[in-house]
Amino acid sequence: MSPPTAEPRTSPPAADVRLFSGLRIVSLCTLASRVLGLARDMAMAALFGNGAALDAFTVAFRIPNLARRLFGEGALSAAFLPAFTRELEGAGRPAAWRLGTAMLVTLTWFLAAIVLAAEILLAIAWLAGARDGESALLVSLTALLLPYLVLICASALVSAILHALGHFTWPALLPVIMNVAWLLGLWGVWRGPLSDAGKMHAVAAVIVVSGMVQLAAPLPALRRLGFRFDGSWRAARGKVRAVARGMLPVLLGLSVTQLNTLADSLIAWGFAAPEGADAAGAASVWPLAAGTASALYFGQRMYQFPLGIFGVALGTVLFPLLARHAGRNRLDLLREDLTLGMRLVAFVGLPASLGLVLLAEPLTALFFQRGRFGAEDVRQTAAMIAAYGAAVWAYSGLMIAQRGFYAVGDRIAPLRAGLIAVVVNLALDFSLIRVLGGTGLAIATSLAAVLQVALTIRLLHGRIGGLHWRPLIATTIRTALACAAMTAAVLGSLVIVDAVADSSGIGRLVRVAGPLIAGIAAYFLAARLLRMEEPRLLLSGERGAGDES
């Protein structure tokens, strides 16, 4: 059956306007969280430098942080929200409260069992001999941080219920709570008498406490909205199993990038030379330099800054609109809004990628070069930022394309593309580290993301029909021209500021601010001269009469 046709929309429905308004709200909250997160990373770098202690912490924190990203950035909502909404609108609030309670209880007990089993395995590893050095620190930090997994996933489910009830403030603010607590913990141990390992354990304990606060803080708002914990939740266990069956492929599909970056960190930790090893002899045994895992972590944090502010926020607010179009069998509108999402990805993602590549070294020096984080750490981390940052546009586009599949109820096709990307990433990891060192791990993940988004869009074409390629290609070409102007402005500014700026903190700030301002001004001036519509779409959420999508 051919999809129904419709006249081009000259202005968005009220719901669409609210969604774009929601994009700005979520983006602002994410910006606050990312700024605080950047401040905490700067403090971590200054306090510990790139070394064994920070390597162990970043690897240990990957496990609960991976769970947070999987549950907090779409997978839980994609599987749970439709079921909760159906109960809310069809069977009424008591049935919805029953399902929400059943999900909370089941998820908490399931994750608690996993954490308990992991703690037992870590205890066995400790008794088997992992009691000294870097291995002991990794084991103890992992054991301390694992309970955070339960807390953050439960708070993510509470956030999903709040989203279904039309409340977005607390879910957007929860990451801010963790970053504030983390910074307070670093301030508390900054000049204390503890060793590096002791300070790391103190920071890990603060993170777990912040998880308790993240879970408790939104509960009063949830109660004010009418939600009540239902003691008869066992009656909804069948629906919980249905949600869980739907969640698994979504989790796997959305987790590919996180799994690839986790693999990067584990490989970096396992193949890095120990601190103090002879550099000449170490290369034949350990192909990666000490501190590679930490450099990867900082590189990932930097590329996730624009990705979270724009890519994740756009996917979050666009998904309900896509689902509504699919539910009404309006595949024409589904393709239209997917095209719009991809146009915005091109307009924001491409210059964001280019900016991270061009300014990787000045950004690293500005944010991290202090305390024990020296010039070699700057060089190592800047290479990671450039390698990961080059694919910000691909990570953002992937989030939009995947949600197109989930809107029409297809959870398997994006999973297939994701599994291919995982295999390719691992193959590239072990191929490139011997040639490019630790930077090869980041390049492998970026190349895998480009492959994954290309495969996902190709599969999406067969599922819903083609996107509106003419306006999308036109936007991409205009964006490329604007990026050329931006590149010239950034490189020219770098030449000027390098000649006048010193190595002080003010000098490092000038080396970033000058080229950044010049690049942004050149980009938007070029976009205006090229008559691009995307800036107005982002700022107002309105489509002009001649805006073809």
Side-chain angles (χ1 to χ4, degrees):
M1 181 179 69
S2 61
T5 59
E7 294 297 323
R9 286 183 281 179
T10 58
S11 62
D16 294 31
V17 174
R18 287 196 300 270
L19 283 171
F20 277 92
S21 176
L23 172 61
R24 291 189 290 272
I25 292 170
V26 174
S27 294
L28 287 173
C29 291
T30 305
L31 175 61
S33 173
R34 295 300 166 110
V35 168
L36 289 169
L38 182 59
R40 114 200 162 195
D41 289 340
M42 293 166 59
M44 291 285 286
L47 184 59
F48 299 105
N50 273 10
L54 192 54
D55 277 358
F57 179 87
T58 54
V59 173
F61 188 59
R62 287 290 176 190
I63 299 173
N65 199 43
L66 175 63
R68 179 185 67 84
R69 292 190 181 281
L70 294 182
F71 281 81
E73 293 179 359
L76 186 61
S77 294
F80 170 70
L81 265 179
F84 185 83
T85 302
R86 284 195 301 269
E87 291 294 291
L88 191 64
E89 296 181 352
R93 288 197 163 203
W97 303 162
R98 188 177 304 116
L99 175 60
T101 304
M103 281 295 301
L104 279 168
V105 173
T106 304
L107 179 71
T108 301
W109 279 108
F110 175 73
L111 293 176
I114 291 177
V115 168
L116 178 60
E119 297 283 10
I120 292 172
L121 291 176
L122 290 170
I124 293 173
W126 178 276
L127 294 174
R131 301 184 185 183
D132 300 306
E134 298 172 20
S135 297
L137 185 58
L138 177 62
V139 169
S140 60
L141 286 173
T142 302
L144 185 55
L145 284 167
L146 274 177
Y148 181 70
L149 185 153
V150 181
L151 297 167
I152 197 60
C153 290
S155 67
L157 184 57
V158 170
S159 296
I161 296 173
L162 287 170
H163 284 159
L165 297 174
H167 186 87
F168 299 93
T169 303
W170 271 113
L173 289 176
L174 293 184
V176 175
I177 293 174
M178 182 195 70
N179 284 323
V180 169
W182 195 325
L183 284 167
L184 290 174
L186 286 170
W187 176 78
V189 302
W190 188 271
R191 298 194 181 278
L194 297 174
S195 64
D196 280 357
K199 291 176 180 178
M200 281 296 187
H201 285 97
V203 171
V206 168
I207 292 172
V208 175
V209 173
S210 77
M212 300 176 188
V213 178
Q214 286 175 284
L215 178 57
L219 293 181
L222 189 64
R223 185 171 182 83
R224 284 196 301 271
L225 291 170
F227 183 87
R228 296 294 182 269
F229 290 93
D230 193 327
S232 60
W233 58 268
R234 290 178 179 81
R237 284 185 296 186
K239 294 174 182 176
V240 170
R241 285 192 290 269
V243 170
R245 285 193 297 269
M247 190 184 300
L248 180 60
V250 178
L251 277 170
L252 293 175
L254 291 177
S255 68
V256 168
T257 300
Q258 285 76 33
L259 289 174
N260 285 340
T261 54
L262 175 63
D264 292 348
S265 296
L266 293 174
I267 292 171
W269 186 80
F271 286 82
E275 283 192 328
D278 178 67
S284 60
V285 180
W286 299 285
L288 303 179
T292 296
S294 303
L296 282 168
Y297 172 78
F298 290 128
Q300 291 158 12
R301 291 290 300 168
M302 289 301 295
Y303 93 77
Q304 288 164 2
F305 199 96
L307 178 63
I309 292 171
F310 174 74
V312 174
L314 180 60
T316 298
V317 300
L318 194 59
F319 179 58
L321 183 60
L322 299 178
R324 185 163 64 248
H325 292 331
R328 296 171 180 173
N329 196 32
R330 293 302 304 270
L331 297 187
D332 57 324
L333 298 182
L334 180 66
R335 290 192 295 270
E336 184 179 341
D337 284 316
L338 277 173
T339 302
L340 173 61
M342 290 298 185
R343 288 172 56 193
L344 296 177
V345 163
F347 180 75
V348 177
L350 288 174
S353 292
L354 182 61
L356 285 175
V357 172
L358 294 174
L359 296 175
E361 188 275 331
L363 283 168
T364 307
L366 173 64
F367 291 130
F368 302 118
Q369 190 174 8
R370 56 184 53 81
R372 292 165 57 180
F373 199 98
E376 178 59 26
D377 296 329
V378 169
R379 184 204 62 77
Q380 188 181 37
T381 301
M384 304 300 183
I385 292 174
Y388 279 127
V392 165
W393 63 272
Y395 304 130
S396 299
L398 185 60
M399 291 187 174
I400 306 305
Q402 287 176 328
R403 281 158 177 79
F405 274 111
Y406 300 145
V408 296
D410 187 344
R411 302 179 178 95
I412 302 302
L415 175 58
R416 290 204 302 268
L419 293 176
I420 293 172
V422 169
V423 173
V424 169
N425 179 69
L426 288 174
L428 290 174
D429 277 344
F430 290 105
S431 300
L432 295 179
I433 58 174
R434 290 286 179 183
V435 180
L436 301 174
T439 309
L441 296 172
I443 292 174
T445 296
S446 292
L447 291 175
V450 172
L451 172 65
Q452 186 182 359
V453 72
L455 288 174
T456 304
I457 292 175
R458 181 177 178 84
L459 293 171
L460 187 63
H461 178 92
R463 184 65 176 81
I464 67 168
L467 301 177
H468 297 284
W469 287 106
R470 181 176 296 178
L472 179 55
I473 292 173
T475 293
T476 304
I477 292 173
R478 292 190 184 105
T479 299
L481 293 173
C483 283
M486 170 184 153
T487 300
V490 170
L491 294 179
S493 299
L494 279 172
V495 172
I496 295 172
V497 298
D498 282 345
V500 299
D502 55 24
S503 60
S504 66
I506 296 298
R508 292 199 297 265
L509 177 61
V510 170
R511 290 190 70 227
V512 171
L516 182 63
I517 293 171
I520 291 174
Y523 182 74
F524 278 96
L525 177 60
R528 182 177 179 83
L529 293 175
L530 292 167
R531 300 181 182 275
M532 298 185 71
E533 294 284 344
E534 286 73 19
R536 181 172 53 79
L537 291 175
L538 283 172
L539 293 174
S540 68
E542 297 180 356
R543 309 178 192 208
D547 190 13
E548 181 184 8
S549 56

